[in-house]
Amino acid sequence: MKTRLISSNKISNEKEIPEISLFDSIANFEAFLLKNKFLSSKENKDYLSLIRNLESNKHLKKEILDSMDSSCSFLKYVNNLGHVMPLIYDGCPVQVINRKAPIPEELIKMKTIYEEIFALTYPKTEHLERLILLETNFEDKIYRLGICNLIIIKLLLG
């Protein structure tokens, strides 16, 4: 998903900000987590460890947010708007479900977890654990980065 932002103020005329890819920004966040050793690898066991550490270590959340670099700052803005999550997570599984027959059980479970998250407006640790454990092909970055974005939302809102 790419979007072009237009910024204007009273001091200057409209200034166009370059295209920003939400997907690339989430990938940058994952790279940031790896580089700063908040995440040991891209494997599901390490994602589980990160979210469990966030639950047990209240200072870790602040440490991650305080050390996020400029490549991740767009995510703080976007995920605080509250409408990115349904855009990404509601539409994607529904589109896949609508195209497949019979509907894979994994997608039905995934959709159910997303609906639980939407009801709360942010993901709980148990939701993230269930999503991580649900995926058998965790090296698929489409799925993994979706979870990474949910971690960002949890950091900001949860």
Side-chain angles (χ1 to χ4, degrees), residues 7-15:
S7 171
S8 65
N9 59 43
K10 293 179 182 180
I11 298 171
S12 66
N13 293 331
E14 282 192 3
K15 180 182 176 188

Side-chain angles (χ1 to χ4, degrees), residues 3-7 15-20 74 77:
T3 187
R4 186 173 296 280
L5 300 176
I6 303 295
S7 171
K15 180 182 176 188
E16 193 170 301
I17 300 172
E19 282 188 355
I20 298 172
F74 175 65
Y77 169 76

Side-chain angles (χ1 to χ4, degrees), residues 36-51:
N36 291 284
K37 309 253 187 276
F38 295 117
L39 189 61
S40 301
S41 77
K42 296 178 182 181
E43 294 180 27
N44 60 353
K45 67 177 179 60
D46 293 312
Y47 267 81
L48 281 171
S49 178
L50 172 62
I51 62 166

